[in-house]
Amino acid sequence: MRADRLLSLLLLLQNRGRMTASELAAELEVSVRTVYRDIEALGASGVPVCADRGPVGGYRLMDGYRTRLTGLTDAEADALFLAGVPDAAGELGLGAVLATAQLKLQAALPDGLADRSRRIQDRFRLDAPAWFREADPVPHLGRVAQAVWEQRVLRVQYRKWGGGGHRSLGLSPLGLVLKGGIWYLVARAGEAIRTYRISRLVSVDVTEQVFDRPAEFDLAAHWAESSRRLETALHQGIAQLRLSPRGRQLLPMQFGAAGTRALAAAGPPDDEGWVRVELAVETPAVAVGDLLRLGTEAEVLGPPDLRAAIVRTVTELTHRYTAAP
């Protein structure tokens, strides 16, 4: 581990120039005292590290010195594919490996490209989790990822939806998907390929049994198709709505892709700026709660049974809040 850290320290100085001990400690997630010891170790091994004193001082490599120890290990090469989602890499236990791989890659680039890559990192970031929601606890994610990589059968206890107890399952894990900040496992259970939410795994045992991965299986294609099927199953009806200008802003925020599609097909605004849309919704019971989140910025025009359900709910709420406490 120390050899990896010394290499990371060396590459940080090469890629970024002068850095203070505190900056190095923050990057390497160690104490400042450890940085001092590592700097001494680099110097003793022949690396020309210079220490500049003063308010703008710090450590730097002697002008003109560059290391060529930039070969990637297998794990570092694998981790580069998670470079856009560093938080996800950390959850998979690859955070430090990814950081070292990126440093090596930058060190191997010509100066112009290395500067460009640093500017991109400074200006763009992908933040996968959704707003206003805590990330799922995924204590078993590392072991599941190991089983995916090594094609080993998992024995798991899986918590049923709605808290209805646990199921014991034997799974052949085929892939992991991070969707909206939530981790899912795509696995074969018997002859069927199903999707499991990682946070519902109560216990995980990685067995010694190795399985054969289906040659024709494509994780991206499977996820796209299963997502389409889920959306089709959930959206069982069409609601006709009338939306205010503010309601048009709220619709994609509340209903995601379905709201965006509805707005794209909206008719022209009336004299008050309201538009009519057709929105794919779930069952009436679910749709009532979802549509009421739009408040007074929307009017449900149809179908008649959905409009009647909205009227009943609003009437009940009116009685509840106007009755004497």
Side-chain angles (χ1 to χ4, degrees):
M1 288 296 293
R2 191 189 187 200
D4 291 340
R5 191 176 69 242
L6 289 175
L7 179 57
S8 295
L9 191 157
L10 174 56
L11 293 173
L12 280 169
L13 294 176
Q14 178 170 307
N15 292 336
R16 304 188 188 179
R18 183 184 291 108
M19 296 182 69
T20 65
S22 296
E23 291 170 339
L24 289 167
E27 287 287 341
L28 298 172
E29 298 182 353
V30 297
S31 67
V32 171
R33 181 171 296 182
T34 298
V35 170
Y36 291 151
R37 289 198 296 266
D38 289 349
I39 290 289
E40 291 180 3
L42 282 180
S45 66
V47 176
V49 182
C50 303
D52 298 328
R53 300 184 180 280
V56 293
Y59 294 105
R60 62 179 175 83
L61 297 177
M62 182 181 293
D63 293 343
Y65 177 85
R66 291 183 67 84
T67 180
R68 296 300 174 189
L69 298 175
T70 55
L72 294 177
T73 66
D74 290 346
E76 289 162 356
D78 296 338
L80 281 176
F81 288 97
L82 293 167
V85 281
D87 293 340
E91 290 180 333
L92 288 168
L94 295 172
V97 176
L98 175 60
T100 302
Q102 290 175 317
L103 286 171
K104 287 183 177 181
L105 186 59
Q106 282 188 345
L109 291 172
D111 289 341
L113 287 179
D115 291 341
R116 185 179 180 86
S117 72
R118 283 192 290 273
R119 287 199 303 273
I120 290 174
Q121 287 181 318
D122 289 341
R123 288 162 173 77
F124 299 96
R125 176 174 175 82
L126 173 63
D127 187 7
W131 284 102
F132 313 123
R133 184 176 65 202
E134 294 292 334
D136 271 1
V138 285
H140 304 298
L141 181 60
R143 271 173 290 169
V144 173
Q146 173 195 350
V148 170
W149 186 249
E150 298 177 357
Q151 294 181 209
R152 295 190 181 276
V153 172
L154 288 171
R155 300 293 178 189
V156 306
Q157 289 288 323
Y158 188 71
R159 187 174 68 251
K160 297 179 182 179
W161 186 84
H166 301 160
R167 283 188 293 164
S168 297
L169 299 171
L171 303 176
S172 298
L174 301 175
L176 288 166
V177 176
L178 179 62
K179 171 71 171 179
I182 298 174
W183 283 100
Y184 296 93
L185 169 67
V186 178
R188 189 175 61 199
E191 297 301 317
I193 295 178
R194 305 185 187 280
T195 300
Y196 303 89
R197 189 161 170 167
I198 297 290
S199 61
R200 291 186 189 154
L201 294 174
V202 178
S203 65
V204 171
D205 179 26
V206 181
T207 72
E208 295 299 319
Q209 181 182 351
V210 177
F211 66 92
D212 292 325
R213 184 181 178 85
E216 73 283 359
F217 179 75
D218 183 304
L219 179 61
H222 172 83
W223 183 260
E225 175 60 22
S226 61
S227 298
R228 185 195 64 78
R229 288 198 307 268
L230 176 61
E231 184 174 357
T232 300
L234 288 176
H235 291 157
Q236 300 181 8
I238 299 293
Q240 291 87 41
L241 307 179
R242 185 169 172 262
L243 294 171
S244 72
R246 173 61 178 160
R248 287 150 63 185
Q249 295 176 342
L250 292 174
L251 196 68
M253 297 169 58
Q254 301 285 9
F255 291 90
T260 301
R261 287 194 295 269
L263 282 179
D270 60 20
D271 292 341
E272 297 178 334
W274 288 56
V275 300
R276 296 192 177 209
V277 302
E278 291 191 344
L279 175 70
V281 293
E282 299 185 40
T283 61
V286 175
V288 167
D290 289 344
L291 291 168
L292 285 177
R293 289 188 297 172
L294 296 172
T296 58
E297 307 301 331
E299 178 187 358
V300 177
L301 303 175
D305 60 339
L306 180 58
R307 182 178 173 94
I310 292 283
V311 171
R312 287 195 300 273
T313 302
V314 172
T315 301
E316 183 178 340
L317 285 172
T318 301
H319 289 324
R320 181 169 299 168
Y321 283 98
T322 56

